[in-house]
Each structure stands twice: as structure tokens, then as C-alpha cells.
Amino acid sequence: MRFSAIASFSWFLFGAAFASGEESRSTCDELAFILPNSTFYPEAPAYNASISSYPFLQLRLHPSCIIRPKSARDVSQAISVLKDSNCTRFAVKGGGHNANAGFNNIQNGVTIDMQSLNDVEVARGDKVVRVSAGALWQKVYDTAEKRNLTVLGGRIGVVGTAGFLTGGGISFFSPEHGWACDAVVNFEVVLASGEIVNANATSQPDLYAALKGGQSNFGIVTRFDLKAFPATTIWGGRTVYHPNATIPLLTAFTEFKSGEYDPYAAGWVTVRYNHTAATFNPVSIMWYTKPAQKPGALKSILEVKPQIMNGRVEAPVSEHTRNASRMVVADPKRTIWATTSFSISPTIVHRIHALWKEVVPEVAKQYAYAKPVAEITFQALPAPPRNGTSPNSLGFTAAETPEKDLVFLQIIFTFDDEAATEGFEEALKDFLKLIEGLAKDEGVLHRYKYLNFAASFQDPLASYGQEQKDTLREVAEKYDPEGVFQKQVPGGFKLF
Ligand SMILES: Cc1cc2nc3c(=O)[nH]c(=O)nc-3n(C[C@H](O)[C@H](O)[C@H](O)COP(=O)(O)OP(=O)(O)OC[C@H]3O[C@@H](n4cnc5c(N)ncnc54)[C@H](O)[C@@H]3O)c2cc1C
Ligand SMILES: *[C@@H]1O[C@H](CO)[C@@H](O)[C@H](O)[C@H]1NC(C)=O
Ligand SMILES: *[C@@H]1O[C@H](CO)[C@@H](O)[C@H](O)[C@H]1NC(C)=O
Ligand SMILES: *[C@@H]1O[C@H](CO)[C@@H](O)[C@H](O)[C@H]1NC(C)=O
Ligand SMILES: *[C@@H]1O[C@H](CO)[C@@H](O)[C@H](O)[C@H]1NC(C)=O
Ligand SMILES: *[C@@H]1O[C@H](CO)[C@@H](O)[C@H](O)[C@H]1NC(C)=O
Ligand SMILES: *[C@@H]1O[C@H](CO)[C@@H](O)[C@H](O)[C@H]1NC(C)=O
Ligand SMILES: *[C@@H]1O[C@H](CO)[C@@H](O)[C@H](O)[C@H]1NC(C)=O
Ligand SMILES: *[C@@H]1O[C@H](CO)[C@@H](O)[C@H](O)[C@H]1NC(C)=O
Ligand SMILES: *[C@@H]1O[C@H](CO)[C@@H](O)[C@H](O)[C@H]1NC(C)=O
């Protein structure tokens, strides 16, 4: 407190003269005074290690300093300094896997990197897994499985927990158990005031609901208490098909989505275009979570031929997620992505694919120097909370059945050269317009945009519905009346 009083006084004298970079450096000096062992400047190896830990190159921005808190109290102290600074801008990094530049890092400004706050423990008589917000999913699964437990989490081990859970979260077990965020029984959160609170069904239930889908608008989550489930093995993995199998695969996916609902069938199908190789490759990454009854509704998808590679095995969740990590860590690139949703119809998946397939080589050709790879991925959405499960913020009523009716599309460009970024971003916008136009034509377009795959130019919070967005805004105003998370945190989807 004493130091921040002196700091305010110095701001009174010199603040007006400071440019924003200098201003955040001065805030960094204050942070370094209070959190000497957790504040890192660009010269420090820990700073470099933090920047290198972002999986996509466009995320590797350079803040004036990086704070790596070790406790909720450290986070609280950091927030207090930032709030009292002259509007020093900051970012919060969980696992750093959101692809939108500026969401989980910041140029100049201060980045709070949660990676040192990563304890995972099984608690309350094996009913709950307590996950500190900087932990990655691999550690969560590894820890829980030692007690024969698992949770609803990410399907690739290197992905972070905090962004995933505050945006919704689709797990292997989502077809059976719903959104991962709905299995959070308690959030420990540091508010803009620096206060550390619990948000759960009986304490601040409005904040509890808001954090399930509202991302970083309310505070910094420091711990998630996740409902534990008995661990089981799951069967499945990656199947790579010959290009000739593309249309049959999309037909099989359409039939899978239109047929009887199977609560144990999870995953997605992707068509990948590699411009350098001039190839289109269909892939399915699907799992059956009740191996004794495999392949259930996955049968038609897995029988599509010709196949090039079949990597389906029965194994613990932690093994699937560990192997999958190896495939993504290898060679970091630039990635941009966007999403939209629609109701399944006999033709919509085929029509979207046909349009994309026709246009994507033309787009890629303009930026061939950047060695572009493009993907479209189709997958199911989880069910909304039902049967007395506390509400989330995603805007589906208990009576709706998005798990049966809806498909969401992810559309991605991955490339090597920064110079192509704007061109691919414009191409994504054009693709969305065309694809949403097709879906509208058929009467199957749905408003929902899955936040964790939405582009920064999309508005997933509005996609929850106006009433839901208004509620989120009220909750943000209640818990952060000065709008610290709206104004000082430029990254993420905002409410006002
Ligand atoms: C390889 C890969 C695999 C994926 N697999 C899945 C999947 O199986 N299912 C699925 O649903 N999604 C998946 N995703 C999407 C994933 O949910 C998002 O990328 C998500 O943002 C990852 O969480 P993170 O902590 O790594 O995010 P970050 O990029 O660290 O954070 C995302 C946002 O959340 C905010 N945030 C981070 N930490 C906190 C905190 N402690 N408190 C408040 N706000 C915070 C950040 O400021 C940022 O705005 C995948 C993504 C990738 C790249
Ligand atoms: C805060 O910074 C702005 C410009 O960045 C400046 O105009 C203002 O005077 C500063 N206020 C204080 C109290 O230092
Ligand atoms: C910082 O680290 C040093 C050396 O490990 C230790 O002596 C000191 O107590 C630490 N300071 C704080 C505030 O944790
Ligand atoms: C940090 O990384 C940069 C390049 O990104 C390199 O030039 C510098 O030497 C690194 N510093 C340390 C301390 O490793
Ligand atoms: C986990 O389950 C296995 C097999 O069912 C059993 O042998 C083992 O004792 C269990 N471990 C724990 C910690 O419960
Ligand atoms: C909910 O929060 C209250 C207040 O902090 C706490 O006492 C209670 O244990 C929490 N409930 C759960 C399920 O964590
Ligand atoms: C793919 O289709 C083409 C054209 O129909 C055919 O000539 C070719 O043999 C097929 N390849 C495989 C591996 O099925
Ligand atoms: C794309 O194709 C080129 C040329 O065959 C190859 O070198 C590259 O690894 C491929 N990229 C991906 C992501 O598959
Ligand atoms: C993981 O990789 C190992 C080594 O390649 C392999 O033996 C194992 O079957 C794989 N497991 C899964 C679930 O993919
Ligand atoms: C929830 O309710 C549905 C019907 O409304 C029922 O089919 C289902 O079994 C219930 N699930 C649980 C976990 O109680």
C-alpha cells in the first residue's frame, strides 16, 4: 500500500510525460518491487521461455515485462498495481492456445502468465480435481488417473485449462456429459478490486454462470474445482483417408449427425488442403468412450475407404492426449481461425465443402510464398445443462438439443509468413459470408459461435443471444464497476 501511494504521487508528477511503453515499464518496476521473484524483463531467460511457449508465432508479442504469479495472492497484488497504474494495459495467458493475437499476450504492456500457478490435486474424497488456472490438460489427466479419476477437459494435452473452461470446453466425454465448463463446481477468482472470491452454485451464482462462457470479462480465475468421473479407457484416434474418400466421409459424417444420438461417439472430421503439395486430405479424429460397445454410431465414418492410415487404439485418456500433443508441438506456424454453426441437413456439409474446395486454391495461390495449409473441420456441440445442473452463459435452454441438431465449422489457415496475415484474414471473412449465406439459403444457419474457435473479428458473446449478453454485461459491471477488464485488458471478447 505504502509503495503504491508513492507511485501514485510520482504519476502525479511525471505521468503525463510518459509514452505508453515507458508507462508500462514504470508499472513493471512497481510490480518487480512487490513480486521480485515473479517479474521478468526481456533480458531474462524466463521471459524468453514464456514467449517461446506460445504455440503459434503470431502470439509471440513482446510485453514490457511478464509476471508469473505463484499464488492467488500474487495475482491479487499484481491486479492491484495494474489497477492503480495509469491505465497500463495487460493480458492474461492460460495455456496460450487461443489463436487470436493479443488475446493472451500484449505488445508493450504487461502479460500475466499463469504457468507457474499449476498445481493439480484430487480433493474432497475423490469428488473433485482442483486445478490451478495455469495447469495444462496433460498434468490434470496424469494426476487424476493416478487415482483412477478423470475430468471433462481438452483432447490435446498441451492445451490450457483456463481459456478452455471459460469459453465452454468440448471433451471426449461431452456427448455423454456436456460442456466441460458445466462440470466446474467452483471457480476461485481474483476480481478487479484484488479481492479473492469463490463463485459456485451457492456463492456469487451470477458470477459462477458468467464464467462459464464469458471468458476474461470478470476477473482472473486462479483455480477451477472440477467434478471427477471414474477413469476409463477410450478407443479411437486418427484415420487418414485417400482424397477419393472425401465425399463418402462427409456423407458418413452427415449420416452420423442425422442418425440416432450416440452419447459415446466423439470427435471431428477435417478436410485439409496443402497448397504446396496441391493435395486435399480427409481425416477423421474420433473416439468411442465406451470401448466395449465400439464402434457404435462411428461405424459408417470408420468404414469409409480408401484409407491411408488408421491410428485407432484403446488407451487411457492421458495417452491419447499425450500422443496428440506431439503432433501439434513440432513446428510452430502462424494460424488464424474462425467458426460458425448450423443445423445438420442432408446437403449442408457437402455444399460448404464444395464451395471451400473451389475457392481455397485461388486464395492460397495469392500467398503461395507463405506455404499455406487450409482446413475445414466439422464437429458436434455438447448439450446444455439439464436436470438441475447450474446454468452456463452459452445461451441454449435446457429444452434445446444442440447436441443432436447442430454442427459447428472451424475454418483455418496455417502459414509461414507474417505478410500473408491480412490477406488470409480477409479470406476468412469472405468464406464466412459465403458459407453463412449458403446456410441461410437452406434455412439452417444458427446464431451460435463457439467462443474458443471464434476469430477476433467475430462476436461470440452476442451469439449467445442479446438477453444473455446483457446479463453478462450486468455481471461484469457488478464485479468490475470500473471496467478494468474491459478497458485495461484489450484482448479477448468484450462486453462494453
Ligand atoms: C491444438 C489445440 C487443440 C484444442 N482442442 C480443443 C478441444 O479439444 N476442445 C475445445 O473445446 N477446444 C479446443 N481448443 C480450443 C481451446 O479451447 C482454446 O484454444 C482455449 O483458448 C485454450 O485455453 P488456453 O488456456 O490455452 O487459452 P489462452 O490463449 O491462454 O487464453 C484464452 C483466453 O482466455 C483468457 N484467460 C486465460 N487464462 C485466464 C484466467 N486464468 N482467467 C481469466 N481469463 C483467462 C485469456 O486472457 C484469453 O483471452 C484447442 C485449441 C488448440 C490450439
Ligand atoms: C495518464 O496517461 C495519459 C496519457 O497516456 C495522460 O494524458 C494522463 O495525464 C496521465 N494521468 C496521470 C494521472 O498521470
Ligand atoms: C525471492 O527469492 C529469494 C531467493 O530464492 C528469496 O530469498 C526471497 O525470499 C524471495 N522473495 C519473495 C518475495 O518471495
Ligand atoms: C531471447 O530470444 C532472443 C531471440 O528471440 C535471443 O536473441 C536472445 O538471446 C534470447 N535471450 C535469452 C536470455 O535467452
Ligand atoms: C485403479 O484401478 C485399478 C484397476 O481397476 C486398481 O488395480 C487400482 O488399485 C486402482 N487404483 C486406485 C488408486 O484406486
Ligand atoms: C462456494 O463458496 C463458498 C464461499 O467461499 C464456500 O464456502 C463453499 O465451499 C463453495 N462451494 C464449493 C462447492 O466449492
Ligand atoms: C481415385 O479415383 C480415381 C478416379 O475415379 C481412380 O482412377 C483411382 O484409382 C482412385 N484411387 C484410389 C486409391 O482409389
Ligand atoms: C505440405 O506439402 C509440402 C510439400 O509436399 C510438405 O513439405 C509440407 O510438410 C506439407 N505441410 C503440411 C502441414 O502437411
Ligand atoms: C501413442 O504412441 C505410441 C508410440 O507411437 C503407440 O504405441 C501408442 O499406441 C499410441 N497411443 C495412442 C492412444 O495413440
Ligand atoms: C436428464 O434428463 C433427461 C430427460 O430430460 C434424461 O433422459 C436424462 O437421463 C437425465 N440425465 C441425468 C444425468 O439425470
Side-chain angles (χ1 to χ4, degrees), residues 259-315:
E260 199 183 326
Y261 186 69
D262 184 335
Y264 311 115
W268 62 85
V269 302
T270 293
V271 182
R272 167 186 276 215
Y273 172 66
N274 181 334
H275 183 73
T276 312
T279 50
F280 285 93
N281 283 107
V283 177
S284 73
I285 300 194
M286 311 235 32
W287 298 272
Y288 207 71
T289 57
K290 202 164 199 168
Q293 290 170 25
K294 73 177 191 280
L298 298 181
K299 188 166 191 287
S300 57
I301 290 177
L302 302 182
E303 281 178 355
V304 167
K305 293 199 170 52
Q307 295 186 2
I308 293 172
M309 196 276 293
N310 163 1
R312 298 189 291 267
V313 293
E314 183 176 339

Side-chain angles (χ1 to χ4, degrees), residues 408-429:
F408 79 96
L409 167 76
Q410 250 181 290
I411 175 162
I412 299 184
F413 283 105
T414 299
F415 51 97
D416 276 1
D417 194 318
E418 185 175 9
T421 306
E422 216 174 296
F424 284 128
E425 192 166 304
E426 288 310 307
L428 270 189
K429 288 181 192 170

Side-chain angles (χ1 to χ4, degrees), residues 20-33:
S20 67
E22 281 176 75
E23 199 172 283
S24 58
R25 276 196 289 282
S26 157
T27 304
C28 286
D29 292 344
E30 276 190 66
L31 287 162
F33 184 82

Side-chain angles (χ1 to χ4, degrees), residues 340-343 381 394-396 400 402 405-407 436 439-440 443-449 463:
T340 193
S341 305
F342 51 86
S343 305
L381 286 165
L394 303 175
F396 293 100
E400 286 178 276
D405 312 328
L406 296 190
V407 170
E436 292 186 342
K440 235 182 241 158
V444 296
L445 183 65
H446 194 275
R447 68 181 180 191
Y448 179 73
K449 313 257 182 293
S463 86

Side-chain angles (χ1 to χ4, degrees), residues 222-286:
T222 45
R223 200 186 76 219
F224 301 89
D225 294 347
L226 306 181
K227 188 176 166 189
F229 297 87
T232 57
T233 54
I234 62 172
W235 175 82
R238 189 178 172 85
T239 307
V240 181
Y241 305 81
H242 186 273
N244 285 11
T246 306
I247 302 299
L249 179 63
L250 298 177
T251 300
F253 179 78
T254 299
E255 282 166 2
F256 161 65
K257 273 302 303 175
S258 319
E260 199 183 326
Y261 186 69
D262 184 335
Y264 311 115
W268 62 85
V269 302
T270 293
V271 182
R272 167 186 276 215
Y273 172 66
N274 181 334
H275 183 73
T276 312
T279 50
F280 285 93
N281 283 107
V283 177
S284 73
I285 300 194
M286 311 235 32

